Amino acid sequence: MSGDGTQIGQILSLPTRADFRTLHDAAVLTHPDASASAIIYVRADAAPITVTRAQFRRAVNQYADALRGLNVPPRGLVIIAHTQNLESIYAFWGALIMGAIPSMLPTLTDKLDPDIYMRNMAELVRNSAAAAVLTTDAFAPNLRAAFEQGGVPCPVFGSRDLAAAGAWGIEVDGSPNVQVDGSRMGQVDGSRNVQVDGNPIDDIADIPNASHHAGATQTIDGRSISQIASDSISQISLEAAPQIASDSISQINPDDIAFLQHSSGTTGLQKGVALAHRAVLNQLAAYADALDLRASDSIVSWLPLYHDMGLIAAFVQPLVQGIPLILMSPFEWVGRPILLLRAIHEYRPTLCWLPNFAYNHMAARIRPRDSDGLDVSSIRAFINCSEPVHHDSHAQFVTRFTSNGAHWGQIAVSYAMAENTFAVTQTPIGSAARVEWVSRAALQADKRAIRLREGYLDAERHVSCGKPIPNTRVAVVDWADDFVGEGRVGELVVQSDCMLTAYYQRPDLRPLERGWYRTGDIGFILDGDIYVIGRSKDLIIHAGKNVFPQDIEAVVNGVAGVHPGRAVAFGVPDANEGTELIAVVAETDAATSDERKRINIEIRKRVGSQTDVSVGYVELVARGWLIKTSSGKIARGDNRNKWLALRGKD
Amino acid sequence: MDEKTVRGQLKAFIQNDLLHDPDLDFADDEKLIDGSLLDSMALVQVQLFIEEAFAVVIPDPQMTVATMNTLDQMVARVLRG
């Protein structure tokens, strides 16, 4: 930390904010206790890997050197399209400390069409003038070829290229590497594909210098994380933990862009939310206050790092704050949700961020025999974030895991968005998020939130997202863009000191209007608490992922047998899944059942392989079924209502 | 357990609970997971359904896309017990 006379190693909070100049002051890079755990990487079928701060520093320095050796320019955009593993983490911080601008993007999955993935990547790289793409050895040649074909002058580096440039002499060529089958990655990241030829894919994460810690898979009740960490670093010399070169630090200014968070979208026109060092540090300081964050906290996460919740709350935050991060692969967690509870039981973390569907997924799909005896009482808060929050999901989770130490006091909510770095609001930690019953009719007809007593026929339950974090303001504007007061429904707008600088390389887009960011979310404020009740945009949020209906419709319109331009996609809330399922209604003349079946399956397959989300419902209708607006456009909302009525779901 | 019953029950489960369309008659060798008809959460659901309906416990590491991609593969795995 660069401040004078301040206590080294304290949490970044509002009182200590001035001690942090850029993200190079992150505790993981500067804290004098280099032997503490930075990351414990938990794996489904292999021993966890513990990375100390010393090991982390050495690794990121090596990655920074490798990137310099590969002539990646300082301030260049470095796209990291990797399997989630330690390598992608080191690459991110290596790029950050050498002054480049890293950005995490999803990797190719089994389901996605590789050609479409690569075309989208090429477009994104071209539009954002990226300086380099880092990916797996298996995928690098294919991506390189795609870039050459598309005339995109951007180098692609695999793990071996970095190892060669960084000359860290690790066994990249050893068993960890993933096999390639033809043009796509073998089994990388398929939901349940933990192993390739008997080798866990994430073994690739072993590099460089992380030590295996086989013993930590056993139950270690009563042992602190620092104890666990000190076991695993016995063979590491602390002299081997270089400090970050001071010349690179001095060249970075607080208002320089630190990294990008990319919005979702499949068109290659994803927006890169550019965040300055200052904004990220402001967010973390304010959020620490809202969370009452302490040096004794630790964070557990299965979240992907290409999403703001995973990237900020469960990656940048613990590393900057110097609190341990217990991390696992999202693909492994989806297939085995018990992994999260096991990790909580073993490592006793205190904070966990989850999208709403995760509460349902764990409550419904973890077998009692697997969870028996596991203890989750160390958690101060399970923070629900990134999709509409449902009280029922919380109730299912708490009820299901009461005997494991889950309780309502752990149930917290945050309203967050990449444009505000992350959190906009947070409910108080230590007590259940507030729930209000309001009149449905008044919300819809009068645009007012009127409290009702529970059980009234017209009463609708909404879970509070809490109050704005310090230095962030939330207001509500009505349809005429006038600010309205408490209890009035309108679009939520946000103002803060942790807002994005710009959308990267998109001078045509202005993120702020009159100093406010328009969220596109509809909500109200009651007693200072923010409630989100819908969206003004047609965005679908499926399993924590933002999905644009336009992208789905474009795919459906290309299916033979569907009338081009006569398809609509929308989200349908599903109480079992705790998220929105995607419904497609398409007009067709096909009359035979064979032909209709073919179209139905084709729609599902194409949408899945081109957008990486699965369609929940396909409805084929006769020509003229879809409602159009007066200007001839397909009206999503009206058709959604018509379909819900047809299916008896309204 | 005869094959026909297993096949019928598994197919009905996939149609009703995963594809939300009881009339959608997909082929028994249709690649459900990497063919993009189902998402990554579907395999866990299939695994739990097989446990409940047929009392066959399939260990987690065996629930892979490569081994449980089609209805044929799922049926064969259930019949192995």
Side-chain angles (χ1 to χ4, degrees):
Chain A
M1 280 153 231
S2 49
D4 294 327
T6 52
Q7 215 189 329
I8 285 175
Q10 58 194 345
I11 288 281
L12 163 59
S13 59
L14 295 172
T16 64
R17 172 65 186 87
D19 298 335
F20 291 74
R21 187 173 168 271
T22 67
L23 287 170
H24 296 175
D25 294 326
V28 71
L29 302 175
T30 60
H31 196 289
D33 177 7
S35 66
S37 295
I39 300 171
I40 299 170
Y41 200 86
V42 177
R43 299 175 295 173
D45 295 308
I49 303 167
T50 298
V51 182
T52 64
R53 289 177 187 146
Q55 292 166 324
F56 185 92
R57 287 170 202 174
R58 192 160 53 181
V60 298
N61 271 318
Q62 285 168 325
Y63 272 81
D65 284 344
L67 291 169
R68 286 190 201 100
L70 292 166
N71 296 319
V72 171
R75 315 314 300 141
L77 174 62
V78 176
I79 302 279
I80 303 165
H82 236 294
T83 320
Q84 183 152 315
N85 56 23
L86 288 173
E87 191 181 348
S88 63
I89 288 170
Y90 298 147
F92 185 93
W93 283 85
L96 195 67
I97 65 165
M98 56 83 64
I101 302 170
S103 184
M104 297 280 199
L105 280 167
T107 187
L108 179 63
T109 65
D110 272 339
K111 223 167 69 173
L112 271 177
D113 182 327
D115 292 337
I116 288 165
Y117 175 88
M118 287 190 281
R119 206 184 308 146
N120 286 339
M121 182 65 83
E123 210 168 320
L124 184 139
V125 163
R126 187 192 291 116
N127 291 339
S128 58
V133 176
L134 311 185
T135 186
T136 59
D137 286 326
F139 192 45
N142 301 322
L143 198 55
R144 208 172 281 138
F147 283 7
E148 273 164 27
Q149 210 174 11
V152 179
C154 175
V156 178
F157 302 119
S159 307
R160 284 194 196 96
D161 303 318
L162 279 152
W168 54 66
I170 41 126
E171 295 160 24
V172 172
D173 289 347
S175 56
N177 275 328
V178 175
Q179 294 212 330
V180 195
D181 80 66
S183 64
R184 63 187 301 181
M185 285 189 291
Q187 301 192 328
V188 175
D189 283 347
S191 50
R192 307 296 296 258
N193 292 330
V194 179
Q195 300 206 330
V196 176
D197 289 350
N199 293 313
I201 287 166
D202 284 329
D203 264 358
I204 203 166
D206 290 5
I207 57 174
N209 300 326
S211 63
H212 285 268
H213 183 63
T217 44
Q218 292 144 20
T219 305
I220 41 172
D221 279 335
R223 300 180 65 212
S224 70
I225 283 169
S226 55
Q227 282 175 299
I228 298 163
S230 63
D231 289 354
S232 65
I233 54 126
S234 49
Q235 70 273 47
I236 301 286
S237 154
L238 290 190
E239 273 113 17
Q243 296 300 311
I244 305 307
S246 56
D247 59 331
S248 66
I249 295 177
S250 57
Q251 289 161 10
I252 299 297
N253 292 310
D255 291 314
D256 286 339
I257 302 303
F259 53 79
L260 309 187
Q261 306 194 67
H262 272 91
S263 62
S264 50
T266 55
T267 57
L269 298 171
Q270 292 156 288
K271 291 181 285 188
V273 173
L275 296 166
H277 289 264
R278 186 191 304 280
V280 178
L281 293 172
N282 285 347
Q283 158 81 195
L284 294 179
Y287 203 30
D289 183 276
L291 295 169
D292 185 21
L293 197 76
R294 308 153 196 175
S296 56
D297 276 316
S298 53
I299 290 171
V300 65
S301 175
W302 58 265
L303 301 168
L305 300 182
Y306 52 78
H307 185 282
D308 60 343
M309 180 166 53
L311 184 77
I312 304 298
F315 177 59
V316 172
Q317 172 173 258
L319 293 172
V320 169
Q321 296 289 15
I323 61 176
L325 166 63
I326 297 103
L327 189 64
M328 64 192 74
S329 148
F331 299 100
E332 292 196 347
W333 174 81
V334 166
R336 304 188 204 181
I338 188 68
L339 285 178
L340 185 74
L341 302 194
R342 283 199 191 125
I344 294 171
H345 178 83
E346 283 194 22
Y347 297 102
R348 319 296 299 145
T350 57
L351 295 166
C352 180
W353 280 261
L354 298 168
N356 192 79
F357 86 92
Y359 296 79
N360 294 61
H361 187 50
M362 290 195 284
R365 299 187 187 126
I366 288 177
R367 305 176 192 88
R369 69 165 187 273
D370 289 334
S371 59
D372 279 352
L374 297 183
D375 178 15
V376 300
S377 64
S378 65
I379 294 288
R380 294 205 288 134
F382 288 106
I383 301 169
N384 192 334
C385 183
S386 93
E387 57 181 338
V389 171
H390 296 290
H391 176 80
D392 287 346
S393 302
H394 290 155
Q396 281 177 38
F397 182 83
V398 172
T399 305
R400 168 65 185 81
F401 298 112
T402 297
S403 64
N404 301 98
H407 58 88
W408 279 102
Q410 295 169 322
I411 298 300
V413 177
S414 174
Y415 172 55
M417 61 201 60
E419 281 82 356
N420 200 48
T421 305
F422 177 62
V424 172
T425 69
Q426 177 63 54
T427 61
I429 303 298
S431 55
R434 261 173 70 175
V435 172
E436 285 285 358
W437 293 86
V438 295
S439 159
R440 180 180 298 134
L443 278 184
Q444 287 172 358
D446 309 331
K447 307 293 175 205
R448 282 179 188 279
I450 297 176
R451 277 200 187 89
L452 289 178
R453 230 177 274 157
E454 176 177 353
Y456 272 51
L457 193 59
D458 179 42
E460 190 172 272
R461 183 160 49 190
H462 289 282
V463 184
S464 165
C465 293
K467 294 185 166 51
I469 64 171
N471 303 324
T472 288
R473 291 168 68 201
V474 178
V476 179
V477 294
D478 67 10
W479 316 116
D481 266 359
D482 291 326
F483 288 99
V484 294
E486 284 240 337
R488 297 278 301 277
V489 174
E491 182 176 355
L492 300 172
V493 295
V494 177
Q495 201 171 56
S496 78
D497 65 354
C498 48
M499 199 55 85
L500 75 166
T501 302
Y503 291 112
Y504 194 69
Q505 303 276 351
R506 292 294 302 272
D508 55 315
L509 297 176
R510 303 225 167 172
L512 302 186
E513 265 177 54
R514 292 181 292 164
W516 292 84
Y517 173 72
R518 301 187 75 115
T519 65
D521 292 315
I522 305 297
F524 57 84
I525 302 176
L526 222 46
D527 294 340
D529 274 25
I530 312 297
Y531 293 80
V532 181
I533 61 168
R535 288 181 292 276
S536 64
K537 304 170 196 158
D538 289 325
L539 183 74
I540 304 165
I541 306 184
H542 172 70
K545 194 168 175 177
N546 291 354
V547 180
F548 295 97
Q550 297 87 334
D551 290 340
I552 309 258
E553 289 158 5
V555 175
V556 175
N557 282 326
V559 172
V562 171
H563 286 303
R566 307 307 302 265
V568 67
F570 45 82
V572 185
D574 186 280
N576 285 332
E577 297 298 328
T579 191
E580 286 182 321
L581 298 183
I582 294 163
V584 167
V585 183
E587 292 188 0
T588 177
D589 288 334
T592 69
S593 68
D594 273 2
E595 179 63 0
R596 294 173 76 86
K597 184 182 89 182
R598 183 198 62 77
I599 294 171
N600 187 321
I601 289 181
E602 187 69 16
I603 287 174
R604 292 171 187 264
K605 284 179 149 181
R606 284 241 209 146
V607 172
S609 68
Q610 298 194 24
T611 69
D612 207 20
V613 292
S614 291
V615 176
Y617 299 92
V618 173
E619 193 79 50
L620 297 178
V621 293
R623 205 185 271 251
W625 190 96
L626 289 171
I627 302 165
K628 292 203 273 188
T629 63
S630 52
S631 58
K633 284 182 10 190
I634 304 279
R636 284 195 196 94
D638 291 343
N639 284 302
R640 180 175 179 277
N641 293 337
K642 186 174 176 184
W643 180 82
L644 288 171
L646 178 78
R647 286 260 183 160
K649 285 178 178 293
D650 57 339
Chain B
M1 261 181 319
D2 68 295
E3 195 202 316
K4 210 176 153 191
T5 313
V6 171
R7 192 174 295 275
Q9 285 190 39
L10 258 175
K11 189 163 190 166
F13 169 75
I14 292 168
Q15 288 173 320
N16 291 320
D17 287 48
L18 304 182
L19 294 170
H20 308 101
D21 189 345
D23 302 322
L24 187 58
D25 188 21
F26 60 90
D28 291 7
D29 62 352
E30 182 84 58
K31 288 179 177 167
L32 297 171
I33 314 284
D34 76 5
S36 306
L37 280 176
L38 301 180
D39 67 15
S40 45
M41 265 186 286
L43 272 181
V44 201
Q45 290 169 268
V46 168
Q47 184 184 24
L48 293 179
F49 175 75
I50 288 173
E51 253 182 66
E52 274 168 37
F54 313 116
V56 172
V57 176
I58 306 173
D60 288 339
Q62 291 181 21
M63 292 298 301
T64 66
V65 176
T67 57
M68 299 293 277
N69 206 7
T70 67
L71 181 63
D72 282 336
Q73 285 177 309
M74 292 175 193
V75 171
R77 182 62 190 80
V78 171
L79 293 175
R80 274 211 307 282

